[in-house]
Amino acid sequence: MVSEKMLALGKSPSKIRDLFEYGNRRKAEIGAENVFDYSIGNPSVEPPEKVREVILELLSTSDSVALHGYTSAQGDREVRQSICDYVNRTHGTSLTADHFYMTCGAAASLTISLRALCAEEGDEFLTFAPFFPEYRVFTESVGGSFDAVPCDPTDFQPDVEALRERLTPKTRGVLINSPNNPSGAVITAGTLTKLCDVLREKSEEFGHPIVLIADEPYRELVYGDVEVPYPMNYYDDTIVCYSYSKSLSLPGERIGYIAVSDRMKDERDVYFAICGAGRSLGYVCAPSLMQRVVSRCQGMTSDVSIYRKNRDILAGALTKYGFRVVQPDGAFYLFVEAMEPSAEAFAERAKEYELLLVPSDSFGLPGFVRISYCVSTEMIERSLPAFEKLAKSYQK
Ligand code: PLP
């Protein structure tokens, strides 16, 4: 006997993973160079050189028993202190090391936070569509209920009025993700201010705080002089779920953190609930070598100019071929309108040209495809004729 819920989850991989596996089979059949795989968000840019230097230095100079040993459950104190100092310096916050909990990336940060906040079966967590599909899985696995309200389809800014209508006394938290996967949109300071005003108004009306959960693995991946406002500076009841998967190109190393605002209501209880949730999920003592590595690489980012170049080539060419593209300010995704009502059918047709594009239904907004441009610039250039043929096939 096994859990029916977990069995169903295990047997139905995400659309993204499904397409990624299809791509691997197809590459084996016709050669990797003939498949244009835009399915998965695996960083294509190397980590900063400093990451390698720090790893080598730690391995050659540290006491290896201590280096590879358990740290405190919530993460090594010095590591948390150095990350805390960086966050305070950068964002003007006044956090302490005891507002930080080291995790195995944003997925763990989110699951732990949701588990800590979900007080009763059926407590509600809301986000904006389009959203990272695993939000639903993470929320439902801790007994919460999950729903999404729309964004403005022209610029993918959250529709704050739609949120106001949808909030109920059962709402425990609202998840935001900026820069966004899959749209690439960055929530502006103006939108965030309005959003936080609504959360304050409704928290007061319902008599309990609605927590803002900010999922921030793409914070540093922005192009030009775009600013990503720091949510804790806009709203007291905020938890930031951070990851180094994308900023330092370390997704396989599984390292990130949770930061609990020092201004949250009952902030000590929230922090201890985070510690308890981490414990109950077995997410204690995040990878110890990586904790030390990231603590010494604060403020560094992989070379985002490569992603920017990819974005510009792809967005420019696709627009020329007749696709409707909303220019993304960050992350490494283009969200492009499908050329027929069904995104699934459109993505199937794209496969005929060996283009692997993720249909948007599981992101909560039908009618689009997501194109992950964290691939080589050379592959993007080779794939352009295939995009042109795909567009032409609809113009006949
Ligand atoms: N949140 C978003 C929006 C993501 O796109 C991803 C990964 O792609 C995650 C969370 C999970 O990130 P991590 O690899 O740090 O667990």
Side-chain angles (χ1 to χ4, degrees), residues 76-283:
D76 178 76
R77 169 159 280 282
E78 276 180 32
V79 167
R80 287 182 290 120
Q81 188 61 56
S82 98
I83 294 174
C84 169
D85 291 343
Y86 173 75
V87 171
N88 286 341
R89 254 193 336 271
T90 311
H91 303 298
T93 43
S94 45
L95 303 167
T96 70
D98 288 331
H99 293 102
F100 287 80
Y101 187 98
M102 301 304 296
T103 65
C104 297
S109 303
L110 288 162
T111 319
I112 293 171
S113 302
L114 290 162
R115 182 152 192 160
L117 293 173
C118 189
E120 281 174 27
E121 186 79 19
D123 274 356
E124 211 172 62
F125 294 87
L126 302 177
T127 194
F128 296 92
F131 56 82
F132 179 53
E134 297 303 281
Y135 288 169
R136 182 183 297 283
V137 176
F138 298 159
T139 307
E140 291 176 354
S141 76
V142 301
S145 88
F146 176 81
D147 199 6
V149 292
C151 280
D152 178 332
T154 58
D155 58 5
F156 294 111
Q157 289 295 305
D159 182 339
V160 175
E161 285 314 307
L163 179 72
R164 185 202 297 275
E165 296 303 309
R166 182 62 189 77
L167 291 166
T168 74
K170 291 286 283 176
T171 311
R172 297 286 305 154
V174 171
L175 277 153
I176 56 170
N177 172 220
S178 171
N180 181 268
N181 172 10
S183 72
V186 173
I187 300 179
T188 63
T191 306
L192 188 59
T193 303
K194 285 188 203 143
L195 176 83
C196 295
D197 285 345
V198 167
L199 293 184
R200 266 187 290 272
E201 173 197 317
K202 289 290 178 177
S203 296
E204 189 136 321
E205 180 184 327
F206 301 148
H208 64 79
I210 299 169
V211 176
L212 183 64
I213 306 161
D215 178 26
E216 305 218 319
Y218 301 97
R219 161 164 286 279
E220 290 81 9
L221 305 193
V222 285
Y223 310 115
D225 52 8
V226 174
E227 292 276 331
V228 185
Y230 199 61
M232 276 186 198
N233 291 335
Y234 289 73
Y235 189 65
D236 289 350
D237 291 293
T238 296
I239 293 178
V240 170
C241 294
Y242 186 79
S243 163
Y244 297 91
S245 293
K246 319 285 171 163
S247 59
L248 291 179
S249 301
L250 295 174
E253 302 300 347
R254 315 305 303 134
I255 190 76
Y257 64 77
I258 299 166
V260 172
S261 172
D262 55 331
R263 299 202 295 245
M264 279 190 94
K265 181 169 187 309
D266 302 328
E267 55 101 4
R268 279 302 79 195
D269 284 357
V270 175
Y271 184 73
F272 283 116
I274 296 276
C275 295
R279 179 179 170 194
S280 79
L281 289 161
Y283 278 141

Side-chain angles (χ1 to χ4, degrees), residues 9 44 54 70 136 140 150-151 182 262 280 287 334 340 362 367 386 395:
L9 208 50
S44 56
V54 171
Y70 289 123
R136 182 183 297 283
E140 291 176 354
C151 280
D262 55 331
S280 79
L334 275 192
E340 59 180 300
S362 63
Q395 287 151 9

